[in-house]
Amino acid sequence: MIIQFIRQIPFTTLRPLNNESKILKTLCEKSKVKTQNFKSVSKSKSLLPLALPLLFLMLISCSKDSPKPKEMVSFPTSPTKVISEDTAIGLKGQLHDFENFPSKFVEARTISVWLPKDYTSHPERTYSVWYMHDGQNLFIPSRSFIGVDWGVDETMTSLVDSGKIDPVIVVGIYNTPKRTEEYSPKKAFDLVPDEVRRGFIERFGLRMKPISDEYLKFLVNELKPFIDSTYRTKRDPANTFVAGSSMGGLISAYAICEYPSVFGAAACISTHFPAGEGIMIDYLEKSLPSPENHKIYFDFGTKTLDSSYEPYQMRADSVMKRKGFEEGRSWVTKKFVGDEHSERAWRNRFSIPVTFLMSTQP
């Protein structure tokens, strides 16, 4: 019994005590000994020799039985790789790879940070930041899913050189084997009827519940603070963009709805609205941010997987209008006849969402 009581003593009580009676008082309190009996207990000369060895045993027991605290996440202090125009064919600007970037919310992954060509030569300049999903598909063809990258570095460089946008930083967030779980909007998924949810799981290989909320916590609470402290960034929502294609389009829309004070604009390219029979559209109806200080871009093609998107996108467009988004000003939807669902198509039209979202013109 005494061992059980002693093991319940908080570890903080094991600091040096002024006298032996404090030890006995702690034992009495944990043993539920009545206060009026404390004096008689403290006078006992037989309990103290027993208590001190048991306290020592408790130290050993605590080290074995007590749950270990979660390890603190240690973020990198420098890139794993620095890739320049001299070392990668076709690359414009500079790429910083952070391999196995840690998180307490989701699995570690590679983060590729693209810097414009003037980043080093203009130390006084700060930059807007684009956070883009499926980061391995953005900059270097050999890393891309189909061997064709988005050419994000080339598009951004061209737009800057032509004076259409100011220089920006792009953060490419690699996907993982849990891509579907990370990109499936949790609060929209919760609205799906059970039978539809089961079909979605079977069709798209969802192995577990969506972890998109954890993924967004990683972006907002870990990755963005790291980027802002490592690079010269403009940190306000008006200069913080999120973008992706397909399921990446869904999670981009989800991000601006869930964190409207972080993201000011979202590019949702070939958005996979058919997931969950369009349940994300119902979520948008309830959760869209204010059109006064947010901009959203949608688009779709007409071939391969994109061929099924138009009816869903029309529903989403109706929601945008009802929620006060003005087409051509705070929101736009583009249809690209003949475009397929692939990096090839997204590469060819990526300049359009960038120009629209970064334009300050009414």
Side-chain angles (χ1 to χ4, degrees), residues 49-106:
L50 176 63
L52 292 176
L54 287 175
L55 285 170
F56 175 75
L57 290 174
M58 190 195 73
L59 288 172
I60 301 175
S61 175
C62 284
S63 65
K64 293 181 180 180
D65 299 340
S66 297
K68 295 182 179 180
K70 291 183 178 179
E71 294 182 5
M72 296 293 291
V73 175
S74 179
F75 296 114
T77 56
S78 60
T80 311
K81 296 178 184 177
V82 176
I83 305 171
S84 65
E85 296 181 7
D86 298 331
T87 57
I89 298 175
L91 180 69
K92 302 293 185 182
Q94 191 176 88
L95 202 61
H96 289 185
D97 280 350
F98 295 89
E99 297 176 352
N100 294 312
F101 191 91
S103 170
K104 65 181 179 181
F105 299 109
V106 291

Short mmCIF file of all heavy atoms in Angstrom, two decimals, residues 49-106:
data_model
loop_
_atom_site.label_atom_id
_atom_site.label_comp_id
_atom_site.label_asym_id
_atom_site.label_seq_id
_atom_site.Cartn_x
_atom_site.Cartn_y
_atom_site.Cartn_z
N PRO A 49 12.47 5.47 8.38
CA PRO A 49 13.46 4.61 7.71
C PRO A 49 12.88 3.85 6.54
O PRO A 49 13.57 3.53 5.58
CB PRO A 49 13.90 3.66 8.84
CG PRO A 49 13.59 4.39 10.10
CD PRO A 49 12.33 5.15 9.81
N LEU A 50 11.57 3.56 6.61
CA LEU A 50 10.93 2.85 5.50
C LEU A 50 10.64 3.79 4.34
O LEU A 50 10.78 3.43 3.17
CB LEU A 50 9.62 2.23 6.00
CG LEU A 50 8.76 1.52 4.94
CD1 LEU A 50 9.52 0.32 4.36
CD2 LEU A 50 7.44 1.08 5.54
N ALA A 51 10.29 5.03 4.67
CA ALA A 51 9.88 5.97 3.62
C ALA A 51 11.02 6.36 2.70
O ALA A 51 10.85 6.43 1.49
CB ALA A 51 9.29 7.22 4.26
N LEU A 52 12.18 6.63 3.24
CA LEU A 52 13.29 7.09 2.41
C LEU A 52 13.72 6.07 1.37
O LEU A 52 13.89 6.41 0.20
CB LEU A 52 14.46 7.49 3.30
CG LEU A 52 14.19 8.74 4.16
CD1 LEU A 52 15.38 9.01 5.08
CD2 LEU A 52 13.93 9.94 3.29
N PRO A 53 13.90 4.79 1.71
CA PRO A 53 14.23 3.80 0.66
C PRO A 53 13.12 3.68 -0.39
O PRO A 53 13.39 3.49 -1.56
CB PRO A 53 14.40 2.49 1.43
CG PRO A 53 14.71 2.92 2.83
CD PRO A 53 13.96 4.18 3.05
N LEU A 54 11.86 3.82 0.07
CA LEU A 54 10.76 3.70 -0.88
C LEU A 54 10.74 4.87 -1.84
O LEU A 54 10.39 4.73 -3.01
CB LEU A 54 9.43 3.59 -0.13
CG LEU A 54 9.18 2.25 0.57
CD1 LEU A 54 7.91 2.31 1.38
CD2 LEU A 54 9.14 1.11 -0.42
N LEU A 55 11.12 6.04 -1.34
CA LEU A 55 11.22 7.18 -2.24
C LEU A 55 12.28 6.95 -3.30
O LEU A 55 12.14 7.32 -4.46
CB LEU A 55 11.55 8.45 -1.44
CG LEU A 55 10.39 9.05 -0.64
CD1 LEU A 55 10.92 10.15 0.28
CD2 LEU A 55 9.33 9.60 -1.57
N PHE A 56 13.36 6.31 -2.90
CA PHE A 56 14.41 5.97 -3.86
C PHE A 56 13.89 4.99 -4.89
O PHE A 56 14.15 5.13 -6.09
CB PHE A 56 15.62 5.37 -3.12
CG PHE A 56 16.69 4.89 -4.05
CD1 PHE A 56 17.52 5.79 -4.70
CD2 PHE A 56 16.87 3.53 -4.30
CE1 PHE A 56 18.51 5.35 -5.55
CE2 PHE A 56 17.84 3.09 -5.16
CZ PHE A 56 18.68 3.99 -5.79
N LEU A 57 13.13 4.00 -4.43
CA LEU A 57 12.55 3.04 -5.37
C LEU A 57 11.58 3.73 -6.33
O LEU A 57 11.46 3.36 -7.49
CB LEU A 57 11.81 1.93 -4.60
CG LEU A 57 12.70 0.96 -3.82
CD1 LEU A 57 11.83 0.02 -3.00
CD2 LEU A 57 13.59 0.17 -4.76
N MET A 58 10.89 4.73 -5.82
CA MET A 58 9.95 5.44 -6.66
C MET A 58 10.65 6.15 -7.81
O MET A 58 10.13 6.22 -8.92
CB MET A 58 9.16 6.46 -5.84
CG MET A 58 7.98 7.07 -6.62
SD MET A 58 7.35 8.54 -5.84
CE MET A 58 8.66 9.65 -6.24
N LEU A 59 11.83 6.68 -7.55
CA LEU A 59 12.60 7.32 -8.61
C LEU A 59 12.86 6.36 -9.75
O LEU A 59 12.73 6.68 -10.92
CB LEU A 59 13.93 7.85 -8.06
CG LEU A 59 13.84 9.08 -7.16
CD1 LEU A 59 15.22 9.34 -6.56
CD2 LEU A 59 13.38 10.27 -7.94
N ILE A 60 13.23 5.15 -9.41
CA ILE A 60 13.49 4.12 -10.42
C ILE A 60 12.20 3.77 -11.15
O ILE A 60 12.16 3.64 -12.37
CB ILE A 60 14.10 2.86 -9.78
CG1 ILE A 60 15.40 3.22 -9.08
CG2 ILE A 60 14.30 1.76 -10.81
CD1 ILE A 60 16.01 2.07 -8.31
N SER A 61 11.11 3.64 -10.38
CA SER A 61 9.84 3.27 -10.98
C SER A 61 9.35 4.34 -11.94
O SER A 61 8.83 4.05 -13.01
CB SER A 61 8.80 3.04 -9.87
OG SER A 61 7.54 2.80 -10.42
N CYS A 62 9.53 5.62 -11.57
CA CYS A 62 9.08 6.70 -12.43
C CYS A 62 9.79 6.68 -13.76
O CYS A 62 9.21 6.93 -14.80
CB CYS A 62 9.31 8.05 -11.75
SG CYS A 62 8.12 8.41 -10.45
N SER A 63 11.06 6.37 -13.75
CA SER A 63 11.82 6.35 -14.99
C SER A 63 11.36 5.26 -15.92
O SER A 63 11.50 5.35 -17.13
CB SER A 63 13.32 6.16 -14.69
OG SER A 63 13.54 4.89 -14.11
N LYS A 64 10.75 4.22 -15.36
CA LYS A 64 10.28 3.10 -16.19
C LYS A 64 8.83 3.28 -16.63
O LYS A 64 8.47 2.97 -17.75
CB LYS A 64 10.41 1.79 -15.41
CG LYS A 64 11.84 1.38 -15.14
CD LYS A 64 11.88 0.07 -14.39
CE LYS A 64 13.32 -0.39 -14.10
NZ LYS A 64 13.35 -1.65 -13.37
N ASP A 65 8.00 3.78 -15.69
CA ASP A 65 6.57 3.80 -15.95
C ASP A 65 6.03 5.11 -16.49
O ASP A 65 5.01 5.15 -17.14
CB ASP A 65 5.79 3.47 -14.65
CG ASP A 65 6.15 2.08 -14.13
OD1 ASP A 65 6.65 1.28 -14.94
OD2 ASP A 65 5.92 1.83 -12.93
N SER A 66 6.70 6.21 -16.20
CA SER A 66 6.17 7.50 -16.60
C SER A 66 6.26 7.67 -18.11
O SER A 66 7.27 7.29 -18.71
CB SER A 66 6.96 8.63 -15.92
OG SER A 66 6.80 8.54 -14.52
N PRO A 67 5.22 8.24 -18.74
CA PRO A 67 5.28 8.46 -20.19
C PRO A 67 6.36 9.47 -20.54
O PRO A 67 6.53 10.47 -19.85
CB PRO A 67 3.89 9.01 -20.53
CG PRO A 67 3.38 9.57 -19.23
CD PRO A 67 3.97 8.71 -18.15
N LYS A 68 7.07 9.18 -21.61
CA LYS A 68 8.13 10.08 -22.03
C LYS A 68 7.53 11.26 -22.78
O LYS A 68 6.61 11.09 -23.58
CB LYS A 68 9.12 9.34 -22.93
CG LYS A 68 9.88 8.24 -22.21
CD LYS A 68 10.88 7.59 -23.15
CE LYS A 68 11.67 6.50 -22.43
NZ LYS A 68 12.64 5.84 -23.32
N PRO A 69 8.01 12.46 -22.51
CA PRO A 69 7.49 13.61 -23.25
C PRO A 69 7.83 13.52 -24.72
O PRO A 69 8.82 12.90 -25.11
CB PRO A 69 8.22 14.81 -22.59
CG PRO A 69 9.47 14.21 -22.03
CD PRO A 69 9.11 12.81 -21.62
N LYS A 70 6.98 14.16 -25.57
CA LYS A 70 7.25 14.16 -26.99
C LYS A 70 8.53 14.92 -27.29
O LYS A 70 8.82 15.94 -26.68
CB LYS A 70 6.09 14.81 -27.76
CG LYS A 70 4.81 13.99 -27.73
CD LYS A 70 3.74 14.67 -28.57
CE LYS A 70 2.46 13.84 -28.59
NZ LYS A 70 1.41 14.49 -29.38
N GLU A 71 9.30 14.37 -28.22
CA GLU A 71 10.53 15.03 -28.58
C GLU A 71 10.23 16.36 -29.28
O GLU A 71 9.31 16.47 -30.06
CB GLU A 71 11.36 14.14 -29.50
CG GLU A 71 11.85 12.86 -28.83
CD GLU A 71 12.71 12.04 -29.77
OE1 GLU A 71 12.98 12.52 -30.89
OE2 GLU A 71 13.11 10.94 -29.38
N MET A 72 11.03 17.36 -28.97
CA MET A 72 10.88 18.66 -29.62
C MET A 72 11.34 18.55 -31.07
O MET A 72 12.30 17.87 -31.39
CB MET A 72 11.72 19.69 -28.90
CG MET A 72 11.28 19.96 -27.46
SD MET A 72 9.66 20.75 -27.40
CE MET A 72 10.06 22.35 -28.08
N VAL A 73 10.59 19.20 -31.97
CA VAL A 73 10.95 19.20 -33.37
C VAL A 73 12.12 20.16 -33.57
O VAL A 73 12.07 21.31 -33.15
CB VAL A 73 9.77 19.61 -34.25
CG1 VAL A 73 10.20 19.73 -35.71
CG2 VAL A 73 8.63 18.60 -34.11
N SER A 74 13.15 19.67 -34.20
CA SER A 74 14.33 20.49 -34.47
C SER A 74 14.40 20.78 -35.96
O SER A 74 14.58 19.87 -36.78
CB SER A 74 15.61 19.76 -34.02
OG SER A 74 16.75 20.52 -34.30
N PHE A 75 14.22 22.03 -36.33
CA PHE A 75 14.20 22.40 -37.73
C PHE A 75 15.62 22.63 -38.25
O PHE A 75 16.52 23.01 -37.49
CB PHE A 75 13.35 23.65 -37.94
CG PHE A 75 11.91 23.44 -37.60
CD1 PHE A 75 11.32 24.11 -36.54
CD2 PHE A 75 11.13 22.56 -38.35
CE1 PHE A 75 9.98 23.89 -36.22
CE2 PHE A 75 9.80 22.35 -38.03
CZ PHE A 75 9.23 23.01 -36.97
N PRO A 76 15.84 22.40 -39.53
CA PRO A 76 17.20 22.53 -40.08
C PRO A 76 17.69 23.97 -40.04
O PRO A 76 16.91 24.92 -40.06
CB PRO A 76 17.04 22.03 -41.52
CG PRO A 76 15.58 22.21 -41.84
CD PRO A 76 14.86 21.98 -40.54
N THR A 77 18.99 24.10 -39.98
CA THR A 77 19.60 25.43 -39.98
C THR A 77 20.15 25.82 -41.35
O THR A 77 20.49 26.98 -41.57
CB THR A 77 20.74 25.49 -38.96
OG1 THR A 77 21.69 24.45 -39.25
CG2 THR A 77 20.20 25.28 -37.54
N SER A 78 20.22 24.86 -42.25
CA SER A 78 20.70 25.14 -43.60
C SER A 78 20.15 24.09 -44.55
O SER A 78 19.74 22.99 -44.13
CB SER A 78 22.24 25.12 -43.64
OG SER A 78 22.72 23.86 -43.25
N PRO A 79 20.10 24.38 -45.84
CA PRO A 79 19.56 23.41 -46.81
C PRO A 79 20.43 22.16 -46.91
O PRO A 79 21.65 22.21 -46.70
CB PRO A 79 19.59 24.19 -48.13
CG PRO A 79 19.74 25.62 -47.76
CD PRO A 79 20.50 25.64 -46.48
N THR A 80 19.79 21.05 -47.23
CA THR A 80 20.53 19.81 -47.51
C THR A 80 21.27 19.94 -48.83
O THR A 80 22.41 19.49 -48.97
CB THR A 80 19.55 18.62 -47.59
OG1 THR A 80 18.68 18.63 -46.46
CG2 THR A 80 20.32 17.31 -47.63
N LYS A 81 20.61 20.57 -49.80
CA LYS A 81 21.21 20.79 -51.12
C LYS A 81 20.91 22.21 -51.59
O LYS A 81 19.83 22.74 -51.30
CB LYS A 81 20.65 19.82 -52.16
CG LYS A 81 20.95 18.35 -51.92
CD LYS A 81 20.28 17.51 -53.00
CE LYS A 81 20.47 16.02 -52.77
NZ LYS A 81 19.74 15.21 -53.78
N VAL A 82 21.84 22.80 -52.30
CA VAL A 82 21.62 24.07 -52.98
C VAL A 82 21.85 23.82 -54.46
O VAL A 82 22.94 23.43 -54.87
CB VAL A 82 22.56 25.17 -52.46
CG1 VAL A 82 22.36 26.44 -53.28
CG2 VAL A 82 22.29 25.43 -50.98
N ILE A 83 20.80 24.03 -55.27
CA ILE A 83 20.87 23.75 -56.70
C ILE A 83 20.75 25.08 -57.45
O ILE A 83 19.81 25.84 -57.23
CB ILE A 83 19.75 22.79 -57.12
CG1 ILE A 83 19.81 21.51 -56.28
CG2 ILE A 83 19.85 22.45 -58.60
CD1 ILE A 83 18.62 20.60 -56.46
N SER A 84 21.70 25.33 -58.31
CA SER A 84 21.72 26.59 -59.05
C SER A 84 21.52 26.35 -60.54
O SER A 84 21.44 25.20 -61.00
CB SER A 84 23.04 27.31 -58.82
OG SER A 84 24.12 26.56 -59.37
N GLU A 85 21.47 27.41 -61.30
CA GLU A 85 21.32 27.30 -62.75
C GLU A 85 22.50 26.56 -63.37
O GLU A 85 22.36 25.93 -64.42
CB GLU A 85 21.19 28.70 -63.36
CG GLU A 85 19.95 29.44 -62.91
CD GLU A 85 19.83 30.82 -63.55
OE1 GLU A 85 20.66 31.14 -64.43
OE2 GLU A 85 18.92 31.58 -63.17
N ASP A 86 23.65 26.61 -62.72
CA ASP A 86 24.84 25.94 -63.24
C ASP A 86 24.80 24.43 -63.07
O ASP A 86 25.47 23.70 -63.79
CB ASP A 86 26.10 26.48 -62.54
CG ASP A 86 26.30 27.97 -62.80
OD1 ASP A 86 25.86 28.45 -63.86
OD2 ASP A 86 26.87 28.64 -61.93
N THR A 87 23.99 23.97 -62.11
CA THR A 87 24.00 22.53 -61.80
C THR A 87 22.73 21.81 -62.22
O THR A 87 22.65 20.59 -62.11
CB THR A 87 24.22 22.32 -60.29
OG1 THR A 87 23.20 23.04 -59.56
CG2 THR A 87 25.59 22.82 -59.86
N ALA A 88 21.71 22.53 -62.67
CA ALA A 88 20.47 21.90 -63.11
C ALA A 88 20.04 22.51 -64.44
O ALA A 88 19.82 23.73 -64.54
CB ALA A 88 19.37 22.08 -62.08
N ILE A 89 19.96 21.68 -65.44
CA ILE A 89 19.61 22.16 -66.78
C ILE A 89 18.20 22.76 -66.77
O ILE A 89 17.24 22.14 -66.33
CB ILE A 89 19.68 21.01 -67.81
CG1 ILE A 89 21.11 20.47 -67.89
CG2 ILE A 89 19.19 21.47 -69.17
CD1 ILE A 89 21.26 19.27 -68.79
N GLY A 90 18.09 23.98 -67.26
CA GLY A 90 16.79 24.63 -67.39
C GLY A 90 16.30 25.36 -66.16
O GLY A 90 15.30 26.06 -66.22
N LEU A 91 16.98 25.18 -65.02
CA LEU A 91 16.53 25.84 -63.79
C LEU A 91 16.82 27.34 -63.86
O LEU A 91 17.91 27.75 -64.22
CB LEU A 91 17.23 25.23 -62.57
CG LEU A 91 16.83 25.83 -61.21
CD1 LEU A 91 15.39 25.47 -60.86
CD2 LEU A 91 17.78 25.35 -60.11
N LYS A 92 15.83 28.12 -63.48
CA LYS A 92 15.99 29.57 -63.37
C LYS A 92 15.99 29.92 -61.89
O LYS A 92 15.11 29.50 -61.15
CB LYS A 92 14.86 30.30 -64.08
CG LYS A 92 14.71 29.97 -65.55
CD LYS A 92 15.89 30.47 -66.37
CE LYS A 92 15.67 30.23 -67.86
NZ LYS A 92 16.82 30.67 -68.68
N GLY A 93 16.96 30.71 -61.46
CA GLY A 93 17.04 31.04 -60.05
C GLY A 93 17.80 29.98 -59.27
O GLY A 93 18.66 29.26 -59.81
N GLN A 94 17.46 29.83 -58.00
CA GLN A 94 18.17 28.90 -57.13
C GLN A 94 17.18 28.09 -56.31
O GLN A 94 16.12 28.58 -55.92
CB GLN A 94 19.10 29.69 -56.18
CG GLN A 94 20.09 28.83 -55.41
CD GLN A 94 21.03 29.68 -54.58
OE1 GLN A 94 20.74 30.03 -53.44
NE2 GLN A 94 22.18 30.03 -55.16
N LEU A 95 17.52 26.83 -56.06
CA LEU A 95 16.65 25.92 -55.33
C LEU A 95 17.34 25.43 -54.07
O LEU A 95 18.47 24.94 -54.12
CB LEU A 95 16.28 24.74 -56.23
CG LEU A 95 15.00 23.95 -55.89
CD1 LEU A 95 13.77 24.85 -55.98
CD2 LEU A 95 14.85 22.75 -56.83
N HIS A 96 16.67 25.57 -52.93
CA HIS A 96 17.17 25.05 -51.66
C HIS A 96 16.32 23.85 -51.26
O HIS A 96 15.11 23.98 -51.06
CB HIS A 96 17.08 26.11 -50.56
CG HIS A 96 18.06 27.23 -50.72
ND1 HIS A 96 18.20 28.23 -49.78
CD2 HIS A 96 18.97 27.51 -51.70
CE1 HIS A 96 19.14 29.08 -50.18
NE2 HIS A 96 19.61 28.67 -51.34
N ASP A 97 16.94 22.69 -51.17
CA ASP A 97 16.24 21.48 -50.73
C ASP A 97 16.48 21.23 -49.25
O ASP A 97 17.62 21.22 -48.79
CB ASP A 97 16.73 20.26 -51.51
CG ASP A 97 16.12 20.15 -52.89
OD1 ASP A 97 15.17 20.90 -53.17
OD2 ASP A 97 16.58 19.31 -53.68
N PHE A 98 15.40 21.04 -48.51
CA PHE A 98 15.47 20.62 -47.11
C PHE A 98 14.87 19.22 -47.04
O PHE A 98 13.65 19.05 -47.01
CB PHE A 98 14.69 21.59 -46.21
CG PHE A 98 15.26 22.98 -46.18
CD1 PHE A 98 14.85 23.93 -47.11
CD2 PHE A 98 16.19 23.34 -45.22
CE1 PHE A 98 15.37 25.23 -47.09
CE2 PHE A 98 16.72 24.63 -45.19
CZ PHE A 98 16.31 25.57 -46.12
N GLU A 99 15.74 18.23 -47.03
CA GLU A 99 15.27 16.85 -47.01
C GLU A 99 14.87 16.44 -45.60
O GLU A 99 15.44 16.91 -44.61
CB GLU A 99 16.37 15.92 -47.55
CG GLU A 99 16.73 16.20 -49.01
CD GLU A 99 17.88 15.35 -49.50
OE1 GLU A 99 18.50 14.64 -48.67
OE2 GLU A 99 18.18 15.40 -50.71
N ASN A 100 13.87 15.55 -45.52
CA ASN A 100 13.37 15.06 -44.23
C ASN A 100 13.02 16.21 -43.29
O ASN A 100 13.34 16.18 -42.09
CB ASN A 100 14.40 14.13 -43.57
CG ASN A 100 14.61 12.87 -44.35
OD1 ASN A 100 13.64 12.21 -44.75
ND2 ASN A 100 15.86 12.51 -44.59
N PHE A 101 12.33 17.20 -43.83
CA PHE A 101 11.90 18.33 -42.99
C PHE A 101 10.91 17.80 -41.96
O PHE A 101 9.89 17.20 -42.30
CB PHE A 101 11.26 19.40 -43.86
CG PHE A 101 11.02 20.69 -43.14
CD1 PHE A 101 11.98 21.68 -43.16
CD2 PHE A 101 9.85 20.91 -42.44
CE1 PHE A 101 11.79 22.89 -42.49
CE2 PHE A 101 9.63 22.11 -41.77
CZ PHE A 101 10.60 23.09 -41.79
N PRO A 102 11.16 18.03 -40.66
CA PRO A 102 10.37 17.37 -39.62
C PRO A 102 9.06 18.08 -39.32
O PRO A 102 8.86 19.25 -39.66
CB PRO A 102 11.31 17.43 -38.41
CG PRO A 102 12.06 18.72 -38.61
CD PRO A 102 12.26 18.85 -40.11
N SER A 103 8.18 17.36 -38.66
CA SER A 103 6.91 17.92 -38.20
C SER A 103 6.38 17.06 -37.07
O SER A 103 6.58 15.84 -37.05
CB SER A 103 5.89 17.95 -39.34
OG SER A 103 4.60 18.28 -38.86
N LYS A 104 5.68 17.68 -36.14
CA LYS A 104 5.01 16.91 -35.09
C LYS A 104 3.58 16.58 -35.50
O LYS A 104 2.88 15.88 -34.77
CB LYS A 104 5.03 17.67 -33.77
CG LYS A 104 4.25 18.97 -33.76
CD LYS A 104 4.36 19.64 -32.40
CE LYS A 104 3.61 20.98 -32.38
NZ LYS A 104 3.74 21.66 -31.06
N PHE A 105 3.16 17.06 -36.68
CA PHE A 105 1.79 16.84 -37.13
C PHE A 105 1.69 15.77 -38.22
O PHE A 105 0.72 15.00 -38.25
CB PHE A 105 1.19 18.14 -37.66
CG PHE A 105 1.11 19.23 -36.64
CD1 PHE A 105 1.93 20.34 -36.72
CD2 PHE A 105 0.21 19.14 -35.58
CE1 PHE A 105 1.87 21.36 -35.78
CE2 PHE A 105 0.14 20.16 -34.63
CZ PHE A 105 0.97 21.26 -34.73
N VAL A 106 2.66 15.74 -39.14
CA VAL A 106 2.62 14.82 -40.27
C VAL A 106 4.00 14.24 -40.51
O VAL A 106 4.97 14.60 -39.83
CB VAL A 106 2.13 15.54 -41.55
CG1 VAL A 106 0.66 15.92 -41.44
CG2 VAL A 106 2.98 16.78 -41.83
#
